[in-house]
Every structure is written in C-alpha cells, then in structure tokens.
Amino acid sequence: MFLDVLSANQIVITILFLILSYLIGSIPFGLIFGKLICKTDIRKFGSKNIGSTNAIRVLGKKVGFLVFFFDVFKGMVIILLIRNILEPLNIFTSPIDYLFYGITAILGHVFSIYLNFKGGKAVATSLGVVLVLTPVPAILCLIAFGIILYTTGYVSLASTGATVTVIVSAWILHFCGLDPNLGFFEFLVGKPTLLVCSLYSVMALLIIFKHIKNYKRIINGTENNFKKKKKLNNA
C-alpha cells in the first residue's frame, strides 16, 4: 500500500512539475523586457517574434542578450531543480527522463499560454535543455551557430545548422560515448539514451518547422541578414 501511495504521489508531483515547466517556458521574456525596459512591444517590430534574435534586432544587444539568457534558463530550471536539489535531498525522485521537463518548457515557449498559444521558435530554450543534459552537443552547436552566422549572416540558417549539429553529435555519442558510472566525464561525453536522441530529433523537427518561413524569405532575398545590416551601418 505504501509503495502504491508513493507511486501515486510521484505521478502527481511529476505532472505538477511538467505543468510548471510549461508555464515557465511560456513566459515571453522578449515581450516582458521589451515593455519594461524599452517601452516597446517586440511583436510589432522586426520579425514580430518574441525570441532573442528579434529582441537583439529590435531592443538592442544588451536587452536582447538578457532575453536570450532567460530563454535559455527557462529550459534548464526544472531539470536543475529536480536533479540537483530535490533528488539529492530525497524529496522527490523523477520517474521519467529529465528531458520531458525540458520538452514541456520548449512547448511553452512555442505555444505560450500567455500569448494565446503563440510564441517563438524555441532555439534558445532548446539550447538550455541540451546544455544541462548533454553539454558537448550544446557546445558544438554553439560553435556551429557562430561559424554559420559569421559566414552567411542568417540567424535562421545558423539555428538550423546548430540544430543539426546537436542531433548528429548526440547520436554519435549514443554509439561512441563513454560507459556509465564515470562521474563528471560521463556527464560530458557519456552515452545519451536512445530516448534522449530520439526526442532531440523530434525537437529538431519542431525547430526546423518553425523556420520554414525564414527559408522561404532567404530564397526570395527578403530575410534579415546581420552581415548586410552591418555593411549598411558602416557605409
């Protein structure tokens, strides 16, 4: 009977944490900081997206990177809370993979309950999830993002390249990573589970789907380009 009650409690608490993760993920920091700091509704300018890229473009680098930090963190916060605080203190042990809490945060960012289920493209929030679960793919994706952005000037292409980098590196680690029980090294280059790699792939498809309009604008020559903008500013 005690085990049944404990199992029921775990299920209830897990559902509550999933809901909490979604609600945190839904927080539109681009809109909030835009209105509080810049007195600007980011949804009316640039790409009209609430994400950090449009925030940098519309609100400036300082506010934009603040938005980026908080968008990344909201993908991490529930995972960090459960894994690093509640479980070590034996307060709550998650019966599901940590990644599911990250996925609900990502869904919150894309389909925000505070914005009539509209939202951003979830690149920064996905980065937060990947960073806290598999740091090497996260670092590699940041490198890929920087290289592609520098060479093309398109954030959408850089985001796509970074997304593909995460998938490829995660699957490589799944087959070639270190075995469990190696402490910190396992955390860095351990083998992600088949479930994690599969769900990363689903997350990637969502991000790519959210960028379809950007790809069309690149083809039409109407997509925002940071390199062109920089040249115009220096002209």
Side-chain angles (χ1 to χ4, degrees):
M1 178 65 70
F2 175 76
L3 291 177
D4 291 339
V5 173
L6 179 63
S7 178
N9 287 340
Q10 281 187 318
I11 292 172
V12 171
I13 295 173
T14 299
I15 293 173
L16 291 176
F17 273 124
L18 289 170
I19 294 173
L20 179 60
S21 183
Y22 169 79
L23 294 175
I24 293 173
S26 292
I27 299 174
F29 286 110
L31 179 63
I32 292 172
F33 290 137
K35 287 191 172 183
L36 288 179
I37 300 175
C38 303
K39 311 301 180 185
T40 300
D41 188 337
I42 193 175
R43 297 172 297 178
K44 297 180 180 179
F45 301 94
S47 65
K48 300 179 174 58
N49 190 278
I50 63 165
S52 54
T53 300
N54 197 42
I56 292 171
R57 184 181 297 117
V58 174
L59 307 175
K61 290 182 179 180
K62 290 183 179 179
V63 178
F65 280 111
L66 184 65
V67 172
F68 174 77
F69 172 81
F70 276 91
D71 280 352
V72 169
F73 185 69
K74 67 186 184 182
M76 306 168 64
V77 59
I78 296 299
I79 299 173
L80 290 173
L81 174 65
I82 295 173
R83 188 181 67 184
N84 295 70
I85 298 177
L86 299 184
E87 288 190 341
L89 294 175
N90 295 318
I91 296 175
F92 169 72
T93 300
S94 176
I96 62 174
D97 195 284
Y98 300 123
L99 180 58
F100 286 104
Y101 303 104
I103 289 175
T104 51
I106 291 168
L107 291 175
H109 183 81
V110 177
F111 308 106
S112 173
I113 193 173
Y114 311 121
L115 300 175
N116 296 319
F117 299 101
K118 297 179 181 179
K121 295 182 173 69
V123 175
T125 305
S126 297
L127 173 62
V129 176
V130 175
L131 187 62
V132 75
L133 293 179
T134 50
V136 167
I139 293 169
L140 292 176
C141 89
L142 285 173
I143 294 172
F145 182 92
I147 292 173
I148 297 172
L149 181 61
Y150 179 79
T151 54
T152 70
Y154 291 113
V155 175
S156 51
L157 286 184
S159 299
T160 303
T163 300
V164 173
T165 301
V166 168
I167 300 173
V168 173
S169 57
W171 280 106
I172 290 174
L173 282 176
H174 173 69
F175 292 107
C176 305
L178 295 177
D179 292 325
N181 303 319
L182 292 174
F184 181 72
F185 289 104
E186 179 196 353
F187 172 65
L188 283 178
V189 288
K191 294 183 177 181
T193 64
L194 178 62
L195 175 64
V196 167
C197 292
S198 300
L199 291 177
Y200 273 7
S201 300
V202 174
M203 289 162 50
L205 290 175
L206 175 62
I207 292 173
I208 291 171
F209 174 77
K210 291 290 288 183
H211 281 87
I212 288 177
K213 292 182 179 179
N214 299 84
Y215 306 146
K216 291 179 179 178
R217 287 196 293 266
I218 290 174
I219 295 172
N220 295 330
T222 57
E223 175 75 342
N224 288 310
N225 186 297
F226 277 96
K227 289 187 73 174
K228 292 180 181 178
K229 183 178 179 181
K230 185 177 181 179
K231 288 180 180 179
L232 288 174
N233 290 336
N234 293 333

